[in-house]
Amino acid sequence: MNERVTIQAPGTTQDANGEMVAGWTDVATLWAGVVDITGREYVAAGATQASAQTKITTRYMPGIVPAMRVVHGWTGSPPVPLTVYNVESVLGQDRKQLVLMCTRKA
């Protein structure tokens, strides 16, 4: 668990005009292990797309659900591009560690 990740939940935020817009809210920032498991290419809408399945392991935390996402990377110096993972399933029945099976589009 040597990578810093942020778990986010869908929510609404207020924009500069005062209107409520869909967005993401940070739930927790924590240390995790991030490992790509499989990758594939496919054709969708006439263009080649790529996706990867990733396993993210961290200490157990209640309340994490598949509607959430994980953001990995930071904008420090030197800047590292942020990678967004969509949580597909949550495993953590032992209540010691949390395993998030995720997908990301490349």
Side-chain angles (χ1 to χ4, degrees):
M1 295 188 209
N2 60 350
E3 303 286 335
R4 203 71 169 153
V5 299
T6 301
I7 299 175
Q8 296 180 329
T12 56
T13 59
Q14 198 170 26
D15 68 5
N17 297 326
E19 296 181 26
M20 299 304 285
V21 294
W24 293 92
T25 304
D26 291 352
V27 173
T29 299
L30 35 87
W31 292 102
V34 179
V35 178
D36 285 336
I37 297 174
T38 63
R40 68 182 180 111
E41 286 188 358
Y42 58 95
V43 176
T48 302
Q49 306 287 324
S51 70
Q53 289 185 325
T54 303
K55 179 172 82 169
I56 299 174
T57 306
T58 188
R59 290 189 181 6
Y60 179 78
M61 180 178 180
I64 306 302
V65 296
M68 295 179 173
R69 73 180 190 177
V70 177
V71 179
H72 176 232
W74 85 99
T75 57
S77 179
V80 174
L82 295 176
T83 305
V84 178
Y85 300 92
N86 295 318
V87 177
E88 300 295 329
S89 63
V90 180
L91 310 172
Q93 292 83 0
D94 64 358
R95 296 189 183 265
K96 293 180 183 174
Q97 69 177 4
L98 188 67
V99 177
L100 305 175
M101 301 305 294
C102 305
T103 58
R104 73 173 161 83
K105 291 189 178 178

